[in-house]
Amino acid sequence: MAATINQVRSSLSKMFKSERYSPFTLQSDGESHVEVKLSDDIDDHAPSEQAGQPGGSPSYRPRPKRNYHNVCYLALGILFIFIIGYLIGYVSHRSPLQEPIPCDSEQEVRVAKEAVVEYALSWTDITSLLARRLTPDAFNSRLSDVEQTDHTAGSTGDNILGNHVLESFKSLEMEPWTDIHYVQLQTPNSEKPNRVLIGQDEVCQPKGYLAYSATGKAKGKAVYGNYGRQEDLALLQTLKVELNGTVILLRASGQISLAQQVANVAALGVSAVLIYPEHKNQTTELYGHVHLGSGDPYTPGFPSFNHTQFPPTQSSGLPNVLAQSITAQTAVKILKRIGGPDSPPSFKGNLDNVKYTLGGASSEDVTVEVNNVLQDTEIHNVFGVIKGFTEPDRYVVLGAQRDAWGPGYAKATVGTTLLLELARAVSEMVHTDGFRPRRSLVFASWSAGEYGSVGATEWLEGYLSSLDRRAVTYISLDGVVTGNYAVNASASPLLHSLLESTMKEVKNPIGFGESGKSLYDQVSGVNFEKAVFTPMQMEDSAYPFLAFSGIPSLSFRFVSQEVYPHYGTSFDNKEYLGFATSHRLGFIATGAGLVAGQLALRLVHDHVLRLDVQRYRKVLGQSVVNINRRLKQVTRDGSAEGLSARWLIMALGSYSRAATDLNTELLNTDLTDIQACHNINDRIMRVEHNLLSPFVSPKEVPFRHLLFGHGSHTMAAMLEGEDREALRTQLALATWTLQGCANALSGDVWDGDSQI
């Protein structure tokens, strides 16, 4: 036997004497690789000295003759060794019921198990896992960790809370990072307080203030202007109340923003604005901002990084009039002394022992002094990410404002708590339950939200060039719970269908209508869009994502029948939010978390993005109809020859055809084809971004969206102007913006629509 084995060894040595095997790797999904060498006794770098050739130079050798005896010995030897090895293996390993896994194949087995788990998780499994991990008890426990009595932007409390968010993301292995900006925030002057006087009598030195007011001193006759809405001001003009040079008194409405109130009256020439909250506690101070825009108003269109330098500039949305908040108690003193004609019935407020009059020429003079100062402030945005397994470079962003004036429970605390709970729930689904999202989820905690989404907008400005091609959607958690009566939402039309289907799946939280039914059932029997959706306003924290960056965005909120009255006051606390939610805050917040979570998970789970391009056709179509009607009125006298909506209508037709073609292509696409789905998703993601007008400057006109932006480039602006040449230019630019969007949706350049 020894002779036979020696003969086999000799034959093998002759056959494989000069053959080498290179290493190869087993690697899966970014895991560390295992290197397997098939020949350990070969040194690739050792010199070879053969046939008298020093230094390893190869020499010519004739082809060896075949030795058939050796071949026979080789075959017999291999067979003999195989039999002996088999018998030895059988004897030594017959007791275990399962063969142990070889070391080198452990990764392959683990990857195979993960693939089975991923395949086994249906959408029902995923939503069940989320509902199991997102509970009222978990929310209430987290809420106490997030509470801060003082967390104004850039303060110690804000930074403590930001560090808590960062550490939470670290504990979940979310690779967190911080984005730092240096912004200018306006604060009260500690040495020179703001003041309000009637005649020579000082009536208050308010603690509350309105950030980004003009500064200085103004004096004028007092006028009462209700909420300062356009219809209120039109009524004042009808009643012949002069507004130019006056100090106008307004009540905070909650229907339009403080900034919009100030902008409306500033356009009519008032010298100062006083705004008070109609709060049950008449000594309640009000805080807010009056910048008609978002971000740092002193670096419009640019990111406020420490290393960037830009020429001195400021946002066109900064007011040129003084604006100051006062208490209801101070408002009573002014209303009792302004005189003038009685107010219309719609102007009657809820203040006791007050006869509402309009003031005007016969009223006493009111003096307003605003001494606010600009503070250079460092703010921190905090992020964590759960990376996708197929398309990690595409991501859904969930965000919540972290800072607040006062307790800020509804404004910031609930949203931050939900952000952390959603991050925990989804992270556990990935690490423990085998969930494998295709795309990434980014969780963002913003600072300086109270000053007009400053932190979020600065981040958008800093990374705009990459976000528009990678960010699928933004979902805001700010102000997500203020009541227990209905659901309101503001969103890109691309997200309307997704929200509707999500509300059909999420159960109605306890205390919110009839429990056990879905949220959709709450509005069944009525028009869903009319019942739920409201236009997205500039003060909405999702607005800069949509109108500035062209990212499909959504915000939603659980509301009461009456507007939540405590925003911007010290009463936005746990107790008063508990009253507003009938002491079911944990349940309602959990319902809100399930809505936001399922929206995000659907967008990172499906092969094709659930963004409905057909919904935009309806919204765009309605705007085109209104513009066409307007142009017919303008050209009725024949003085605007050639001014027609024809080309705009044809551009709308191009978009409609592109949307229909995409849906047809989807029906014929193999959804397991990763590249095909990736191409379709790219086209869908271009829609929102290509509705940003390329013909206006982001610095001069930051909100460039054709439908939801602000400025002369928008479709809404074409319904207002009287200058026909300007209207002709607006029409041409809007046409080509819409046509460009249609071409992008079509896909490749050879698929573009040339029918316009």
Side-chain angles (χ1 to χ4, degrees):
M1 177 176 176
T4 303
I5 292 176
N6 288 336
Q7 182 67 35
V8 170
R9 183 183 294 119
S10 176
S11 299
L12 288 171
S13 178
K14 290 178 181 179
M15 291 184 67
F16 301 114
K17 184 175 182 180
S18 61
E19 192 152 358
R20 299 185 179 187
Y21 288 79
S22 60
F24 71 94
T25 60
L26 296 176
Q27 192 168 352
S28 173
D29 286 339
E31 300 288 338
S32 58
H33 68 269
V34 178
E35 188 170 82
V36 182
K37 292 187 177 181
L38 298 186
S39 178
D40 292 327
D41 60 341
I42 297 175
D43 183 359
D44 287 338
H45 303 286
S48 163
E49 296 185 10
Q50 298 175 353
Q53 298 291 331
S57 299
S59 61
Y60 170 77
R61 308 180 102 186
R63 180 178 178 182
K65 296 180 180 179
R66 296 183 180 273
N67 190 327
Y68 293 100
H69 294 288
N70 288 344
V71 173
C72 292
Y73 282 126
L74 175 62
L76 289 172
I78 291 174
L79 180 61
F80 184 80
I81 292 173
F82 176 80
I83 294 172
I84 296 299
Y86 178 82
L87 292 174
I88 293 172
Y90 178 79
V91 171
S92 60
H93 296 286
R94 63 181 177 177
S95 56
L97 295 178
Q98 185 176 0
E99 184 176 341
I101 299 171
C103 179
D104 289 341
S105 62
E106 285 181 354
Q107 286 194 0
E108 291 179 301
V109 173
R110 180 170 57 78
V111 171
K113 287 183 177 180
E114 289 178 353
V116 171
V117 172
E118 180 184 2
Y119 180 80
L121 288 180
S122 65
W123 176 244
T124 302
D125 295 330
I126 292 169
T127 55
S128 296
L129 286 171
L130 180 66
R132 193 183 314 150
R133 295 194 175 279
L134 204 64
T135 65
D137 288 342
F139 171 84
N140 289 330
S141 177
R142 176 83 68 173
L143 190 65
S144 59
D145 295 335
V146 176
E147 292 176 348
Q148 288 283 338
T149 55
D150 177 21
H151 45 123
T152 55
S155 68
T156 301
D158 178 30
N159 292 332
I160 290 173
L161 187 52
N163 287 332
H164 174 72
V165 173
L166 186 71
E167 292 302 317
S168 297
F169 288 164
K170 281 183 180 179
S171 69
L172 297 172
E173 300 179 5
M174 292 174 61
E175 302 181 18
W177 73 96
T178 301
D179 181 57
I180 301 176
H181 294 275
Y182 299 83
V183 298
Q184 294 190 73
L185 305 179
Q186 197 184 62
T187 62
N189 189 332
S190 58
E191 298 179 356
K192 193 175 182 182
N194 300 338
R195 301 193 306 156
V196 178
L197 300 86
I198 302 179
Q200 299 299 317
D201 302 328
E202 181 178 282
V203 292
C204 70
Q205 291 186 5
K207 295 180 180 179
Y209 78 109
L210 300 176
Y212 299 124
S213 164
T215 57
K217 182 185 291 187
K219 181 179 179 180
K221 299 295 183 181
V223 172
Y224 172 57
N226 201 24
Y227 295 118
R229 300 169 300 184
Q230 294 291 358
E231 56 267 34
D232 297 328
L233 301 178
L235 184 54
L236 286 177
Q237 291 176 313
T238 301
L239 296 173
K240 308 299 183 183
V241 176
E242 178 60 45
L243 295 179
N244 188 46
T246 62
V247 174
I248 191 166
L249 179 65
L250 305 175
R251 48 179 174 160
S253 70
Q255 300 172 14
I256 63 173
S257 68
L258 299 172
Q260 190 63 62
Q261 287 180 288
V262 172
N264 287 348
V265 297
L268 298 177
V270 303
S271 60
V273 189
L274 297 173
I275 303 178
Y276 69 94
E278 282 193 313
H279 204 276
K280 291 181 180 179
N281 186 323
Q282 292 195 353
T283 61
T284 300
E285 300 280 354
L286 177 65
Y287 296 81
H289 79 89
V290 291
H291 173 214
L292 193 65
S294 67
D296 183 351
Y298 297 97
T299 58
F302 304 109
S304 297
F305 290 128
N306 197 34
H307 61 273
T308 54
Q309 294 181 352
F310 301 109
T313 185
Q314 65 181 40
S315 167
S316 59
L318 285 173
N320 56 7
V321 300
L322 305 186
Q324 174 62 47
S325 61
I326 58 174
T327 64
Q329 186 179 67
T330 301
V332 169
K333 295 178 182 179
I334 296 174
L335 286 168
K336 285 183 175 181
R337 295 176 63 173
I338 65 174
D342 290 344
S343 298
S346 61
F347 278 40
K348 303 294 183 181
N350 299 319
L351 298 178
D352 295 331
N353 302 317
V354 171
K355 180 183 179 181
Y356 287 88
T357 56
L358 297 178
S362 60
S363 72
E364 290 192 59
D365 287 333
V366 173
T367 302
V368 179
E369 186 178 333
V370 176
N371 300 304
N372 299 338
V373 293
L374 288 174
Q375 295 274 359
D376 291 328
T377 308
E378 178 181 310
I379 61 171
H380 297 183
N381 297 324
V382 182
F383 303 87
V385 61
I386 296 175
K387 291 183 179 179
F389 284 72
T390 306
E391 298 179 284
D393 61 337
R394 300 289 185 272
Y395 33 82
V396 173
V397 184
L398 293 101
Q401 169 185 325
R402 190 177 67 245
D403 68 295
W405 284 300
Y409 244 77
K411 198 70 176 288
T413 304
V414 169
T416 299
T417 303
L418 276 180
L419 184 78
L420 294 175
E421 278 300 285
L422 282 167
R424 177 195 59 78
V426 178
S427 181
E428 289 177 356
M429 288 168 62
V430 171
H431 292 300
T432 305
D433 303 320
F435 173 52
R436 297 293 178 263
R438 298 179 62 82
R439 302 171 193 91
S440 299
L441 277 163
V442 174
F443 296 83
S445 174
W446 311 115
S447 185
E450 289 282 50
Y451 290 83
S453 301
V454 171
T457 303
E458 296 306 310
W459 183 68
L460 290 172
E461 290 174 344
Y463 303 99
L464 181 62
S465 59
S466 58
L467 285 171
D468 73 293
R469 299 183 183 277
R470 298 190 175 187
V472 174
T473 292
Y474 178 72
I475 300 171
S476 171
L477 298 173
D478 291 340
V480 74
V481 178
T482 60
N484 65 343
Y485 173 73
V487 174
N488 287 342
S490 303
S492 161
L494 293 173
L495 290 161
H496 285 197
S497 297
L498 181 58
L499 181 63
E500 184 175 347
S501 63
T502 300
M503 288 181 63
K504 289 179 179 179
E505 296 177 358
V506 176
K507 295 296 183 183
N508 217 349
I510 293 176
F512 188 84
E514 185 178 348
S515 63
K517 292 187 175 182
S518 71
L519 285 173
Y520 182 85
D521 292 333
Q522 180 73 16
V523 293
S524 62
V526 298
N527 184 299
F528 177 81
E529 289 206 21
K530 185 176 181 181
V532 172
F533 288 103
T534 58
M536 189 176 289
Q537 303 297 325
M538 191 179 292
E539 63 271 17
D540 194 312
S541 55
Y543 182 80
F545 287 84
L546 176 65
F548 174 75
S549 299
I551 298 171
S553 306
L554 176 143
S555 65
F556 68 97
R557 59 210 66 87
F558 286 53
V559 297
S560 294
Q561 287 180 291
E562 297 182 355
V563 175
Y564 184 71
H566 308 302
Y567 272 151
T569 75
S570 60
F571 289 89
D572 184 13
N573 56 32
K574 188 174 185 178
E575 179 184 4
Y576 279 87
L577 186 57
F579 288 137
T581 57
S582 300
H583 303 288
R584 297 286 183 177
L585 175 60
F587 291 97
I588 297 172
T590 301
L594 290 174
V595 172
Q598 287 193 199
L599 282 167
L601 291 178
R602 182 59 95 175
L603 289 166
V604 300
H605 168 265
D606 289 0
H607 289 73
V608 174
L609 295 172
R610 291 283 185 104
L611 300 177
D612 189 354
V613 296
Q614 292 284 1
R615 285 290 181 113
Y616 248 126
R617 181 166 64 177
K618 177 181 177 182
V619 178
L620 288 165
Q622 186 58 55
S623 293
V624 171
V625 167
N626 294 338
I627 291 170
N628 188 45
R629 186 181 299 120
R630 164 72 170 159
L631 292 178
K632 287 182 177 179
Q633 294 174 347
V634 169
T635 59
R636 187 169 296 165
D637 60 1
S639 62
E641 184 178 353
L643 191 59
S644 167
R646 175 189 174 192
W647 302 111
L648 184 62
I649 294 170
M650 293 182 71
L652 175 64
S654 295
Y655 180 89
S656 299
R657 286 187 292 276
T660 301
D661 290 346
L662 180 70
N663 283 350
T664 302
E665 190 172 334
L666 269 174
L667 295 174
N668 298 309
T669 297
D670 177 7
L671 297 185
T672 63
D673 186 332
I674 295 177
Q675 188 58 49
C677 293
H678 186 83
N679 292 340
I680 288 175
N681 290 336
D682 274 354
R683 289 160 60 185
I684 293 173
M685 289 176 63
R686 291 174 192 160
V687 170
E688 202 77 76
H689 178 76
N690 281 282
L691 286 174
L692 299 181
S693 173
F695 306 109
V696 293
S697 164
K699 175 182 176 297
E700 302 297 332
V701 186
F703 304 120
R704 297 178 292 144
H705 202 286
L706 189 63
L707 285 173
F708 303 110
H710 279 263
S712 61
H713 65 285
T714 63
M715 286 185 161
M718 283 186 270
L719 303 176
E720 302 169 356
E722 297 294 334
D723 187 329
R724 297 185 181 183
E725 285 306 310
L727 184 57
R728 195 186 304 275
T729 300
Q730 290 173 308
L731 186 61
L733 298 184
T735 297
W736 285 110
T737 300
L738 181 53
Q739 184 62 41
C741 179
N743 290 341
L745 182 59
S746 296
D748 295 311
V749 291
W750 50 83
D751 292 325
D753 194 332
S754 60
Q755 296 187 40
I756 188 169

